[in-house]
Amino acid sequence: MSLLLDALKKSGDKKQEGTGLSNLTLEDVPPSRTASAPSNASSRAAGEAMFAAKKKKSTSGGWKLGLVPTTLLIAVVLGSGYGYYVWLQIQPPAQPRVAQRTAPPPAPFVVAPIAPAAPALVPFIPPQPPQERPAPAQPVQPLVTARNEDFDAPRNKPQAARTYNTRPATGITVQRKVETDTVTPALLDAYQAYQRGDYTTATQGYREVLSKDPHNRDALLGLAAIAQQQGEDETAQRYYRQLLALDPRDPVAEAALMNYSPDSGNSESRLKLMLTDQPRSAALHFALANYYAGISSWGDAQQYYFNAHTLEPSNPQFTFNLAVSLDHLGQRKLAAQYYQQALQLDTSGNSGFDHAQAQHRLNELTSAK
């Protein structure tokens, strides 16, 4: 604005010098079209020059920072970049995405029916049928050669006169009495009573045999088995100990006593040691199988039940326990076969296992085929 005033002032001074009107002021000069035209042109030019100078100044003068702010800005940018790089390095590597199929909805949970348990085992050993005792052998008589003088004498030699001493007959005749064995028929009667379930008659028969033969093994085994059937375990153990007193290696008595204490710690080793001496004892195989069944080792139990059944195939208890062990192992076809054999062998129903339960299990196994 000052430039404009200066220009106007200079132009006024020049006009005054040319016209001689030095004493006139700016207000006193009369307006003149010819004088105002150059004045307006010059003022317009001066204004444009002033505007152009300001515009140039404003465009040329940019935003300038000092040295310290610029250094700080550069340090901040570099620090931010380094920090971002460090952050990227400490991040765990991203796992590649694998396209997965959407899993189908889970099937509805169905509770499978629980298979019925196999029938209970029969732990005790039944009495064996008494065996026929062989008749005592007759003593061999020495061969006596009779000499007949009538035939031994030579034909040409005269025979001497022979005198005979005749005596009256006394009427005494000597006869040999054959004593019949009354023990075996009594044992058979007692055993048959046991098979019928008539334990009272069987007990009387076995005691009658013991009255004549206190060391009769069959009678002691029968009384022990009857005591077990009636739940008199102490009485049964007493009879088995009597058998061991007569024969410390009696396999049936030893096996039966081990059934009462299967957790003695050395039952397995003792039974196996006895089996090495008596490998054909069905009672020992049966007792060892009962031991394995007690600890749920059904594979070993099945093996020794099978051994006992092979040695005594007519024993319904051995056959039934073999069927139970096969049932636990899932061998249903064989289990059904031996269940049926056990039921056929135990016609009286007094072998110690439940016929109704065994028949029910047999029906389940045969219907599931």
Side-chain angles (χ1 to χ4, degrees):
M1 193 67 185
S2 58
L3 292 178
L4 180 59
L5 294 176
D6 293 337
L8 293 175
K9 187 177 181 181
K10 289 179 180 181
S11 60
D13 292 338
K14 289 180 179 182
K15 289 179 179 181
Q16 289 179 3
E17 292 178 357
T19 54
L21 299 176
S22 58
N23 296 321
L24 293 177
T25 61
L26 185 59
E27 289 85 0
D28 295 335
V29 178
S32 172
R33 291 184 177 178
T34 57
S36 62
S39 175
N40 290 337
S42 61
S43 62
R44 183 182 297 175
E48 289 178 357
M50 182 183 65
F51 181 76
K54 287 186 176 182
K55 183 177 181 181
K56 184 177 180 181
K57 183 178 180 180
S58 62
T59 55
S60 62
W63 180 58
K64 295 182 180 180
L65 291 177
L67 180 62
V68 174
T70 304
T71 305
L72 290 177
L73 181 60
I74 294 174
V76 169
V77 172
L78 292 177
S80 300
Y82 181 75
Y84 179 71
Y85 172 76
V86 173
W87 179 80
L88 288 178
Q89 294 297 321
I90 64 176
Q91 292 298 317
Q95 297 294 333
R97 286 189 175 183
V98 180
Q100 296 181 356
R101 295 182 179 179
T102 305
F109 181 74
V110 179
V111 180
I114 300 174
L121 295 169
V122 179
F124 75 96
I125 303 173
Q128 301 299 316
Q131 304 293 330
E132 294 288 342
R133 294 184 180 181
Q138 297 292 336
V140 179
Q141 299 292 337
L143 180 63
V144 178
T145 304
R147 185 177 181 83
N148 193 338
E149 295 178 355
D150 294 337
F151 293 95
D152 294 340
R155 296 294 180 179
N156 57 359
K157 184 178 179 180
Q159 295 182 1
R162 182 178 297 176
T163 60
Y164 296 94
N165 186 12
T166 60
R167 294 182 180 179
T170 59
I172 300 175
T173 58
V174 178
Q175 295 180 354
R176 185 174 183 181
K177 183 180 179 182
V178 178
E179 184 178 359
T180 59
D181 187 4
T182 59
V183 175
T184 301
L187 281 174
L188 287 174
D189 293 340
Y191 179 75
Q192 291 174 0
Y194 174 84
Q195 291 294 316
R196 295 192 306 268
D198 188 0
Y199 297 141
T200 302
T201 304
T203 301
Q204 293 176 356
Y206 284 130
R207 286 179 179 174
E208 181 181 352
V209 173
L210 287 178
S211 64
K212 299 177 181 180
D213 184 7
H215 304 316
N216 190 283
R217 181 175 180 269
D218 292 328
L220 291 173
L221 285 175
L223 290 174
I226 293 172
Q228 280 186 304
Q229 291 280 26
Q230 295 178 344
E232 300 174 358
D233 294 339
E234 294 181 0
T235 304
Q237 293 181 51
R238 187 177 72 247
Y239 286 122
Y240 286 129
R241 291 192 183 97
Q242 290 182 20
L243 287 168
L244 288 179
L246 298 174
D247 183 8
R249 298 180 58 188
D250 190 299
V252 178
E254 188 73 20
L257 286 176
M258 285 187 181
N259 284 332
Y260 285 104
S261 57
D263 298 331
S264 58
N266 58 349
S267 297
E268 181 182 7
S269 58
R270 287 177 59 191
L271 286 170
K272 287 186 175 180
L273 183 62
M274 294 174 68
L275 277 173
T276 57
D277 297 334
Q278 305 178 64
R280 298 193 60 81
S281 173
L284 291 177
H285 285 281
F286 184 71
L288 186 56
N290 287 337
Y291 170 79
Y292 284 126
I295 61 175
S296 298
S297 181
W298 292 107
D300 296 328
Q302 184 270 332
Q303 176 184 353
Y304 286 98
Y305 280 137
F306 181 78
N307 294 342
H309 168 73
T310 304
L311 293 170
E312 293 186 15
S314 60
N315 191 314
Q317 292 182 354
F318 296 169
T319 308
F320 175 78
N321 283 23
L322 175 59
V324 173
S325 63
L326 290 169
D327 199 353
H328 278 280
L329 291 174
Q331 302 183 21
R332 298 192 170 194
K333 186 176 181 180
L334 288 176
Q337 177 182 344
Y338 285 109
Y339 277 132
Q340 187 173 5
Q341 288 186 18
L343 291 170
Q344 293 174 353
L345 289 172
D346 189 20
T347 55
S348 61
N350 296 311
S351 293
F353 63 89
D354 190 348
H355 270 230
Q357 189 179 10
Q359 185 64 51
H360 179 69
R361 185 58 179 162
L362 175 61
N363 296 336
E364 291 178 342
L365 294 177
T366 53
S367 62
K369 292 180 181 180

